[in-house]
Structure formats: structure tokens, C-alpha cells
Amino acid sequence: MLTHLQKLEAESIHIMREVAAEAENPVMLYSIGKDSAVMLHIAMKAFFPATPPFPLLHVDTTWKFREMIEFRDATVSTLGLDLIVHINEEGVEQGIGPFSHGSAVHTDVMKTTALKQALEKHGFDVAFGGARRDEEKSRAKERIFSFRSEDHRWDPKNQRPELWKIYNTRKSPGESIRVFPLSNWTELDIWQYIWLEKIPIVPLYYAAERPVVERDGTLIMVDDDRMPIRPEEQVEYRKVRFRTLGCYPLTGAVESSADTLTAIIQEMLLTKTSERQGRVIDHDQAASMEKKKQEGYF
Amino acid sequence: MAHQSDLIASDILAYLKSHEEKSLLRFITCGSVDDGKSTLIGRMLYESKMIFEDQLSALESDSKKSGTQGKDIDFALLVDGLASEREQGITIDVAYRFFSTDKRKFIVADTPGHEQYTRNMATGASTADLAIILVDARKGVITQTRRHSLIVSLLGIRNVVLAINKMDLVRYSQRKFETIEKDYREFAEGLGEGHGVKFDITAIPVSALKGDNIVTSSQNMTWFEGPSLLEFLEEAPAGENLEKAAFRMPVQWVNRPNADFRGFSGQVASGRIKEGDAIRVLPSGREAKVNRIVTLDGELKKAVAGQSVTLVLDDEIDISRGDVISEAKKPAEVADQFETTLIWMAEGPMLPGRPYLLKTGPKTVRATITAPKYQINVNSFEHVAATKLELNEIGVCNIATDQQIAFDPYTDNRETGAFILIDRLTNATVGAGTIHFALRRSANIHWQALDVNRNLRSNLKLQKPAVLWFTGLSGSGKSTIANILEKKLAAMGRHTYLLDGDNVRHGLNKDLGFTDADRVENIRRVAEVAKLMSDAGLITLVSFISPFRSERRMARSMMEEGEFVEIHVDTPLEVAESRDVKGLYAKARAGDIKNFTGIDSPYEPPNNPEIAINTVELTAEQAADNLFNYLLERGIIDT
């Protein structure tokens, strides 16, 4: 009798092999976070002794934590994988950034638009993403194989029925598919699997003394000197960690002393706010994620 | 998320260890609109403490704003997903929810109880180990209950919980509960006699709203001695039977990183396999032994149902994606014609004779459906005569595939007995089916290999066979042009035959009318005839309206590569109608002829015909000349 994690792992492997066999030009979106770490780990298992027959794609907004980039490069070189890094150069030329333009514009230009650019530039027809159905209400209805129209939009009312584990991967010209092999994992499953399989994760998940400022009730880490410090603000060192990772100006730190994996899981289980609260982009109205997804945000 | 377990705070390692051993149960909840399904699921999420503090405060404020429970928490709001649904107060699609107890992780398929119910329920049921059938204690077994039970049975779920809900509204009456349970058991007896499975039923009286018998035994129903719903779900079998079945592994991926390694990757669908076991590959029937079971975590001595592995065999036999590796002594069956139960999921109807793609596991083949033997009325279970299936209808049909595939009857194996149908033009998933058995017809008729073959026949005639397929509206000039072209070819001593739509309908196809289904069959037959004629070495001219792309595509796919020439006789409707050589348009406009192409039946022009003829600019003679030159250029004829 398999345990729940063994079943979830086997299901994810099955999904990845289906994509590898049927897609023309697949890619794995690698965001460097814990879900990506699990997805990548499973991809290594799915094709062993071969390496995964697709490259990784990181959409770099140029505002990621420096430790994330170091971790990314180290991981890719250890595993011997192909990595494509895409930056929206037009956005860079226009000087788009979270401080100057706010989170909405920054995310739209440097993340959503950049992702579309990258997929189109390389002609990827299928992209793996690490999203889970338990993350957020609208995700609960998304298929494992989720179709996007030519302009990368998601139509929640027109999804293909997905029966058994038979995936219909056929698409019309211009359409692309997002595939979510971790659909049925929960946040606890992810952490438990990382613990069980000893999967390396970015050190930012562990508590450490880090320079932060408190801004609008959120602790923002001063990761480089692009961050403008307001007159009333003070940079102070506090023992903090991150529950999710993204652009450093948009990712709130939490004060914590959890500096081991088990302590993180313990804290996660005892904590009283759900995962996405740390992300500044979700703080608008309730249906925000559904709207973003229809527009092509992953 | 506040798991109750004190272990989290006191001994996190022990907690993680205990959760490592958790199993997984997938179930589906079925109920009609007001049975309290969302409330039940919301209640289970709430009771298993899978709700975060921030979600809870949002829930409390939402309940006051748009809830239906006055000041109390409306658990249904927890599971309402999409914004459009929240506005309409309905659930429109299958959603998946997750919760866990100390013993198990659960995945719940939450499916709507109203329109699209068949499609969505079948989707949710296809992956479920167990079904909860929800009944309102005030209403008892109603039409929807029967309908839900039929679908659950057809999808092969044996383990069923009859949750009799809203017991608080019938004063927790034991008599009420027992009457409904008895009614349901009597009705369910009949289910196993069709093509579904027989249920193993557990009835539990609950109140999702008040929390009775959900987690712990209810103090309001001390007369009930069975388990609470969650207690039962924690102990119910979760796919153990699969391990006992015969070994099957559909091959997803041939793993060849280098010349020294050749492995076959897949997820074990059923049974178990160990090193040294003899296997048979289907449909080829070749046999070998398992040398190694390879994973990144080291080689395994054995693998069981559900595991994703890579098998290395002792013999270099030819295996490709879609083949099924099975136990040598208990192999899967192989056939190309089947009786099946088919659930139709598309807006357009299923048309017999139209080619679809059939996907079972990783294997995709072409398939055609013969007319339904009967349709199953989902409310009365009656068998009704039918010529096609509409959206959300269920029928029993025979299906023929263009090649042999490995399979098991669905009631024996849900993995190797299931398939989906895909529309070749829209790529939509249009149907889902379960295989009952193979039709022996195909096994006993072998293809006779003949010594005089098509090459020899066409060489004797000093020509290349071709099928010149004229498509266009009635009165567009197809037959006129085809007739002139045939005369030119005959004058050169070429061997030809002209199949004319009207003429064939006087003989071979005189039993067919003009419905969509009959039009499909009309084209299938004439395409088969054209195929025989080109096999005989002839240049065949086919002059048929042939209004649908998919049938023309089918005809093309039946011929040898390069042999099919699609000729679009492109005459605008106004022009054809104004010519109205046979007076048919006038009759159609007057309503004397039904289903007339261009008037009340669609014509789908070719996207990429080999050649298009504009009959407004060209005379029939010029058009035939153009075609003649085209055949010369293509080398189909020479001078």
C-alpha cells in the first residue's frame, strides 16, 4: 500500500512523462521557490537515468533576491540542466520596477508580459508550472492540463473534461498548455516531501538575521541598494524568514526563529495565516487571482 | 493551519513520522442542488482544521454578507470557487478539495448537481475510490439520486456511502432514516445488472449544517450504531484491490539516454511486478523477462500498482509508447472492435461513422462508432432506441479502431478499460467510455493477402490510381465538370469511373436520408467504394456535395499518400441558387425539402483543397482543362 506522498509523487511523474512524450517543445517554469524545487526533483526521477528532456525557464524580473539567483545557478550546474533566463528588456529600458511603478505594473510588465515573451520567443507549446489547487479558490477548478488561447488567456468556463489519467494534449495552432504536475499536493505535502527527500531549498526560507525595514505593516528586506529608504524608516537587523519567495520588494518577511526544516514545518503548521498573505500582489479584491490568470499570469 | 494534534508543538519529528505513513483516499460527493453538498464539504474542511485563521474571518464576514444561514457560518461559501459562480450562487465545474486527518489525506471531487451534471460527475467519479451519495432526509430517494447512482456505478465505483442529510429537519427520526436506506438498497440492487458495478453500501444519517455524525457520533442519534462519516472515510479501502489484479503497465516513454540503456517507463496500472517475472507486450504478443526495476532512488525488487517505474527487460524486443506490458500468464486482451458504454460530453452530437481519435492510457488510435445499440435514460434506466448521442447522454455503442489495442473490461480494470474520444478538428474531448468486451467479429475475419496487388493492376493499365474528390454546393457544377474531365481522360485511354452523388443514392445508398448522421454514412460508403476502385487501379472521380470537413478528411486518410485530390468547386450560394438547375433550391426555400445544404444544413468549405475552381470566372470546359493540366503536373497522368 503506497503512502499519500508516494501516490502523489507517482502521479506527478506520470504527468511529466505524458508531456515529454506528446509535447513538441516543452519547458519547465522554474521559479526557484520550494514548489519549483519539488517539481524539479520529481522531474529528475521521472526520466532517470536520462535527464529531463526539456530546459528550465526562469523569468527574471531583475528584482529577485540575490540568494535566489545564486541558488538557481548552483542547482542547475549541479544537476547538469539547461536553463533559459528571460528578462523583459523593454521593461528594463523603461526602468520598470516595483518602487518606481508599483507592484501591479511591475508584475504585469516584468512577470506576466515577460513570460508570454519567453514562451513565444522559444516557441514553447507546453510549460510546466508548480501551482497547486489548494493555494487559492480559483485554482481548485483548474485542470492539470490547462489550455491557453493564442493571447495566453485562461477561460474557466471552457475547460476540457479531464477523466481518469488520460490527458488530451492536442491543441489548435497558437494554443499552448500549462501543465501543473503538483495540482493535488498541499502545502504540507510539499514541506513533508522536502523533509523526507532532503531536497535543497533557498536559504531564505530559514530564519536568519537580515536587514529589514518595516513598511506599511510589512517587513521588507533590504537586499540591495536599489531600495529607497524613506526618512522615517530605519534599517534594522531582525531574525526573519520568508514563507514564499518572489521579488524582494514585494515579499514580506516574517519574524521567526525557525532555522531548521522541522522548525519551519512546525511553524507552518501552527501558524494562523495562509500562504499567499505574504504576497503583496494578492492583497486586492477577492477574485484577483482568477482575473490575473485569465489575463495570462501563470 | 491549526492541526489539533498536540504533537506539532511538542514533538514535530514524531508528528512528521506519523504523517509519513498516511494513505490517500479520493472520493466524490454527489447531490442535487439543495442537498447540502457544499455545506458538507465545507464542514469537513472546517472540522479537520484545514481552514486558516484569515480564511475563517473572511468566511465569517462573507457569511453575514451573502450567506444563507443568518448569523451562523455558511460553510458552503468555503468551497465556492470562481467569481462568476459566487454571483450566481451555483457551482459550475468540478473542483478538487483537500483535507487530512491524522490517518489519511483526502481529495474530494466536488461536482455540481444541476446542468452538465453527467459530464462533470463522470469526470469527478473517474478518479474516485469512493462515492458519497447525498440525500435530503425530507425528500428521500429522488430522480437525481438515481441518476447520480447510475453514473457512479457506470464509472466503476463500488464503495458507496449513502449520506442521509438534514436529519435535524426530520427530528433525527430513526424511522425516516431506515425507510430511506431500505428504498435505496432496493433500487441499487438493479444497478449491477447493467454495465456498471454493484454497490457496497454504507448508510449514515448526518446533518452537515449542525455537524451530526460528521466527525464523531451524534448525541442526537444515539440509535445509530455505525461510524461517523469521517471515521468511515478513514477506514474505507483506497484502491487496495488494484494490487491484487493482474499486472499491467502501459508504456509512456521509452527511456534511451545512451546505447547501453533501454528502459520502458510507465505507471503500474494494476498488480505487481518483480525482477525475473515473465511479461508479455501487447498488442505484439512478444514475451521477455524483467531484468531490473529502475528508479532514481535505486533499483527495486518489486513494484506495485500506482508506482511510476522504469523496467529493463532481458531481451531486446520492440516496444513503443502505448504498448501495454502485462503479466505473461494473464495478459490483457487485444482487439479492434468493442462494445462500450459511451458518455457524450460535447455540444455537437456523436455521429455514427464519423472518425474520432480514441485515447486509452498513452495510446491514441483512430476510431469510428457504429450507431448506438441503445441510449440509457439516466432517470428511468430504460434502454431507448437512438441513432446518435447528444451532450450528457449515455449510450451503449460498438466502436471500431483502425488498429489492434490492448485492453481489459472496465469492470476488471479501470485503467486499461477506459478511453476518451477526441474530435479531430476541434481537438476537444467529446466523449468518455468504458469497454465491456471485444467483438469477436474482428478476431475471426483476417485480411486476405492477395498476389495480384494494386501496383500490378495499375501497372497493367499504364496509369497511377487517383481519387479526384469534387466537393461543393448543390448546383455548383461538380458533375458537369467531372463529366467533361472523364471524357478527356477516356479519350486518352485512361481507365476511369465517376461516382455521382445522385446516382449512388439510387442504389448503394438508397436507404440513406439527409440528416447529419446519414450524410456521414453516405460519405463513408462512397469513400470505401472509391478506395476499392483505386485499389483496382482506376482513376476515380467522386462528385458528392460532401459538406463536412471531417468526412472529407476521413476519405483522404483512407487513400494512399498523394492519391487523394480534393477539388473545391467554389460557387457562391447566390450563384448556385440562381442557376437552380434541378429546381431544388426553390423547393428547399419553400420548405418542401429539409436539411438542404446551404439552406438549412451547413456546408464547410475546404481549408486547403489541392485545387479550387471558381465557376463564376471559368466555364465548365475551362475548369476541366485546368484540372487536366493539374493532373499532368502532378504526374498522375502523362501524355
Side-chain angles (χ1 to χ4, degrees):
Chain A
M1 191 67 202
L2 304 182
T3 67
H4 73 298
L5 287 178
Q6 286 170 328
K7 277 193 184 174
L8 290 171
E9 182 195 76
E11 177 186 68
S12 302
I13 289 176
H14 175 265
I15 293 163
M16 289 183 187
R17 287 172 175 168
E18 283 303 288
V19 170
E22 300 214 339
E24 285 161 35
N25 189 15
V27 67
M28 178 169 279
L29 298 186
Y30 179 67
S31 72
I32 321 176
K34 63 183 196 311
D35 302 292
S36 279
V38 167
M39 186 163 64
L40 180 56
H41 185 79
I42 293 174
M44 297 304 290
K45 291 193 177 200
F47 303 99
F48 178 83
T51 47
F54 41 75
L56 305 183
L57 170 65
H58 179 227
V59 175
D60 190 349
T61 61
T62 73
W63 291 89
K64 300 292 174 190
F65 290 95
R66 284 174 299 163
E67 277 186 85
M68 289 172 71
I69 303 299
E70 286 164 24
F71 180 87
R72 176 194 75 191
D73 294 342
T75 302
V76 168
S77 96
T78 311
L79 299 178
L81 300 173
D82 292 336
L83 170 73
I84 296 167
V85 176
H86 182 84
I87 295 174
N88 182 352
E89 295 299 346
E90 289 160 31
V92 172
E93 274 165 34
Q94 291 165 31
I96 305 283
F99 295 121
S100 47
H101 294 76
S103 73
V105 172
H106 167 72
T107 305
D108 182 49
V109 175
M110 299 306 289
K111 196 167 171 179
T112 310
T113 306
L115 173 63
K116 291 181 198 171
Q117 282 175 348
L119 295 177
E120 273 162 26
K121 179 179 166 192
H122 298 277
F124 293 124
D125 60 335
V126 181
F128 289 109
R132 308 185 315 266
R133 284 171 174 157
D134 82 321
E135 276 178 75
E136 198 264 337
K137 272 186 190 175
S138 82
R139 291 248 198 245
K141 311 216 156 177
E142 189 152 6
R143 305 290 191 261
I144 293 173
F145 282 65
S146 185
F147 285 72
R148 295 293 189 273
S149 62
E150 204 149 358
D151 52 358
H152 298 269
R153 289 177 75 91
W154 180 57
D155 178 3
K157 286 201 177 150
N158 195 17
Q159 301 195 80
R160 287 182 186 170
E162 206 163 68
L163 292 102
W164 298 287
K165 51 172 95 155
I166 309 175
Y167 301 107
N168 173 1
T169 64
R170 297 176 67 85
K171 54 192 181 313
S172 307
E175 272 183 344
S176 60
I177 316 178
R178 309 283 199 269
V179 176
F180 304 109
L182 305 181
S183 285
N184 288 326
W185 295 59
T186 62
E187 190 186 10
L188 177 58
D189 296 332
I190 293 285
W191 281 115
Q192 182 127 25
Y193 188 74
I194 288 172
W195 176 70
L196 210 62
E197 296 276 315
K198 303 183 178 61
I199 301 171
I201 51 170
V202 183
L204 292 162
Y205 284 113
Y206 298 103
E209 295 279 334
R210 295 189 172 98
V212 292
V213 295
E214 193 171 334
R215 182 172 292 179
D216 307 327
T218 307
L219 289 177
I220 302 293
M221 178 171 157
V222 185
D223 196 46
D224 57 38
D225 53 17
R226 287 181 293 175
M227 176 156 171
I229 309 296
R230 298 174 190 160
E232 73 278 12
E233 287 173 342
Q234 216 161 23
V235 181
E236 46 187 339
Y237 277 77
R238 292 206 214 168
K239 192 154 187 182
V240 295
R241 64 177 211 88
F242 296 87
R243 289 210 201 103
T244 61
L245 295 180
C247 297
Y248 82 80
L250 300 177
T251 310
V254 290
E255 290 199 84
S256 166
S257 58
D259 51 8
T260 64
L261 197 49
T262 46
I264 291 175
I265 299 175
Q266 188 172 34
E267 188 187 278
M268 191 270 300
L269 288 169
L270 295 172
T271 196
K272 301 207 182 276
T273 46
S274 64
E275 190 176 352
R276 298 195 79 91
Q277 275 221 323
R279 292 194 194 171
V280 181
I281 64 162
D282 276 339
H283 275 180
D284 35 13
Q285 72 271 47
S288 70
M289 181 56 75
E290 186 185 340
K291 212 176 279 168
K292 288 206 173 67
K293 216 154 38 150
Q294 286 183 7
E295 285 157 10
Y297 173 77
F298 205 81
Chain B
M1 80 190 96
H3 272 269
Q4 256 180 339
S5 180
D6 295 335
L7 270 181
I8 295 170
S10 62
D11 190 348
I12 182 70
L13 266 177
Y15 174 85
L16 287 174
K17 275 277 168 218
S18 75
H19 276 244
E20 215 181 298
E21 303 303 324
K22 264 197 281 195
S23 60
L24 174 66
L25 182 86
R26 301 184 69 132
F27 66 92
I28 179 174
T29 49
C30 330
S32 52
V33 182
D34 292 318
D35 288 343
K37 193 159 50 72
S38 294
T39 306
L40 178 71
I41 297 172
R43 168 67 75 173
M44 286 192 278
L45 297 181
Y46 177 75
E47 297 285 357
S48 66
K49 304 288 184 258
M50 292 301 287
I51 300 175
F52 293 101
E53 198 96 319
D54 59 328
Q55 289 175 331
L56 194 60
S57 57
L59 177 64
E60 278 163 4
S61 73
D62 281 0
S63 295
K64 282 182 197 129
K65 216 183 319 162
S66 50
T68 55
Q69 299 303 325
K71 275 182 289 171
D72 292 334
I73 291 180
D74 184 354
F75 292 106
L77 291 175
L78 262 182
V79 294
D80 273 344
L82 304 180
S84 47
E85 291 178 345
R86 278 208 294 279
E87 284 152 23
Q88 296 163 41
I90 50 160
T91 328
I92 42 178
D93 207 331
V94 191
Y96 295 89
R97 319 282 175 198
F98 307 85
F99 68 95
S100 59
T101 64
D102 289 344
K103 287 186 183 161
R104 251 194 185 159
K105 167 174 170 145
F106 297 94
I107 302 180
V108 193
D110 178 10
T111 60
H114 60 108
E115 56 169 324
Q116 302 295 346
Y117 56 88
T118 304
R119 177 166 101 171
N120 292 326
M121 255 207 64
T123 303
S126 71
T127 51
D129 305 305
L130 175 150
I132 298 180
I133 300 212
L134 212 58
V135 170
D136 185 329
R138 295 169 303 175
K139 298 180 192 156
V141 176
I142 56 172
T143 304
Q144 279 92 330
T145 317
R146 299 161 60 87
R147 178 195 292 166
H148 296 151
S149 302
L150 173 70
I151 297 169
V152 164
S153 165
L154 289 176
L155 270 293
I157 302 175
R158 290 188 163 82
N159 209 339
V160 168
V161 177
L162 178 69
I164 300 173
N165 191 26
K166 304 197 182 181
M167 286 302 289
D168 54 313
L169 298 181
V170 294
R171 294 186 305 282
Y172 299 105
S173 159
Q174 179 177 6
R175 200 177 54 82
K176 197 94 194 168
F177 168 75
E178 285 170 353
T179 310
I180 295 173
E181 179 182 4
K182 185 165 158 289
D183 282 355
Y184 187 78
R185 284 187 188 278
E186 275 174 16
F187 138 79
E189 266 307 296
L191 278 175
E193 290 160 17
H195 297 287
V197 294
K198 224 177 149 150
F199 288 164
D200 185 0
I201 302 164
T202 305
I204 303 177
V206 300
S207 166
L209 192 64
K210 308 284 178 194
D212 293 289
N213 277 339
I214 303 294
V215 180
T216 50
S217 293
S218 166
Q219 291 311 305
N220 294 317
M221 289 176 278
T222 45
W223 48 265
F224 179 70
E225 290 173 349
S228 73
L229 185 58
L230 268 178
E231 282 167 355
F232 182 78
L233 293 177
E234 281 188 329
E235 300 298 333
E240 285 91 337
N241 293 337
L242 269 182
E243 284 187 31
K244 291 180 201 137
F247 174 77
R248 302 282 184 265
M249 189 187 92
V251 175
Q252 288 184 272
W253 173 263
V254 179
N255 196 330
R256 293 210 76 166
N258 54 58
D260 300 329
F261 187 92
R262 184 177 158 86
F264 305 100
S265 302
Q267 187 173 12
V268 179
S270 60
R272 41 184 62 228
I273 190 88
K274 56 181 193 310
E275 286 176 4
D277 279 357
I279 57 98
R280 177 182 290 189
V281 180
L282 297 166
S284 74
R286 292 190 182 85
E287 297 201 357
K289 281 193 172 129
V290 174
N291 246 356
R292 296 154 60 198
I293 304 170
V294 176
T295 75
L296 178 66
D297 303 308
E299 291 188 8
L300 306 179
K301 288 271 171 256
K302 66 170 175 69
V304 299
Q307 272 178 296
S308 285
V309 293
T310 297
L311 302 181
V312 176
L313 306 179
D314 68 341
D315 207 359
E316 284 251 335
I317 59 177
D318 189 29
I319 301 179
S320 33
R321 172 172 162 83
D323 289 351
V324 174
I325 299 181
S326 60
E327 204 170 316
K329 287 208 176 114
K330 288 185 216 155
E333 293 180 54
V334 170
D336 60 4
Q337 292 193 48
F338 313 89
E339 187 189 278
T340 67
T341 295
L342 192 60
I343 301 171
W344 200 249
M345 300 184 156
E347 296 290 341
M350 177 277 271
L351 294 179
R354 172 166 286 188
Y356 295 98
L357 292 173
L358 179 150
K359 190 169 189 193
T360 171
K363 182 86 172 174
T364 305
V365 296
R366 293 210 332 244
T368 48
I369 310 164
T370 57
K373 301 176 98 163
Y374 52 85
Q375 186 196 325
I376 302 171
N377 180 314
V378 291
N379 297 326
S380 66
F381 299 3
E382 275 173 342
H383 296 176
V384 189
T387 52
K388 56 184 181 177
L389 292 177
E390 302 279 357
L391 177 64
N392 287 318
E393 289 182 346
I394 301 175
V396 169
C397 312
N398 289 349
I399 288 191
T401 53
D402 71 336
Q403 52 183 288
Q404 303 247 321
I405 54 172
F407 78 98
D408 290 290
Y410 185 76
T411 45
D412 291 351
N413 196 319
R414 286 172 78 188
E415 299 245 346
T416 48
F419 62 89
I420 59 170
L421 290 177
I422 301 167
D423 186 283
R424 295 172 62 192
L425 285 183
T426 64
N427 292 324
T429 301
V430 291
T434 60
I435 298 178
H436 303 162
F437 48 76
L439 300 171
R440 295 302 154 196
R441 192 159 60 196
S442 61
N444 295 331
I445 301 174
H446 294 285
W447 187 257
Q448 192 70 42
L450 302 170
D451 291 329
V452 178
N453 59 24
R454 56 184 292 126
N455 283 340
L456 186 61
R457 293 189 201 101
S458 60
N459 287 344
L460 280 173
K461 296 185 179 70
L462 304 171
Q463 67 184 32
K464 278 189 193 168
V467 174
L468 312 179
W469 192 283
F470 293 76
T471 173
L473 294 169
S474 175
S476 59
K478 297 181 298 295
S479 294
T480 312
I481 299 168
N483 188 37
I484 299 173
L485 179 62
E486 191 182 24
K487 278 197 285 190
K488 287 179 190 287
L489 292 169
M492 285 177 68
R494 300 297 165 213
H495 300 259
T496 60
Y497 195 88
L498 201 165
L499 289 163
D500 180 83
D502 287 346
N503 296 355
V504 173
R505 276 187 179 276
H506 279 107
L508 176 65
N509 289 355
K510 70 178 168 194
D511 56 326
L512 298 177
F514 291 88
T515 62
D516 284 0
D518 280 357
R519 284 177 188 276
V520 172
E521 176 62 14
N522 185 38
I523 299 306
R524 189 191 69 78
R525 289 187 198 171
V526 80
E528 288 285 1
V529 172
K531 187 184 174 185
L532 289 175
M533 290 189 163
S534 74
D535 216 37
L538 299 177
I539 295 172
T540 312
L541 298 86
V542 179
S543 169
F544 272 64
I545 297 173
S546 46
F548 303 135
R549 287 191 197 105
S550 58
E551 276 66 54
R552 295 194 301 264
R553 189 192 286 205
M554 169 187 69
R556 179 187 294 272
S557 68
M558 286 165 60
M559 311 306 164
E560 300 284 309
E561 186 69 34
E563 210 169 272
F564 186 88
V565 179
E566 188 172 18
I567 300 160
H568 183 200
V569 183
D570 188 3
T571 305
L573 179 64
E574 316 80 74
V575 178
E577 191 169 353
S578 68
R579 291 181 193 155
D580 204 5
V581 192
K582 302 172 196 161
L584 296 175
Y585 282 96
K587 285 187 189 167
R589 288 287 182 202
D592 295 338
I593 308 177
K594 292 274 173 241
N595 299 321
F596 195 77
T597 301
I599 308 294
D600 56 353
S601 183
Y603 178 77
E604 301 169 357
N607 291 330
N608 291 301
E610 268 75 10
I611 185 160
I613 292 171
N614 183 330
T615 65
V616 178
E617 291 170 4
L618 298 177
T619 64
E621 190 69 40
Q622 288 168 326
D625 279 339
N626 285 1
L627 284 172
F628 189 83
N629 291 332
Y630 174 82
L631 297 178
L632 278 176
E633 280 166 34
R634 281 278 305 269
I636 291 169
I637 51 174
D638 46 36
T639 45

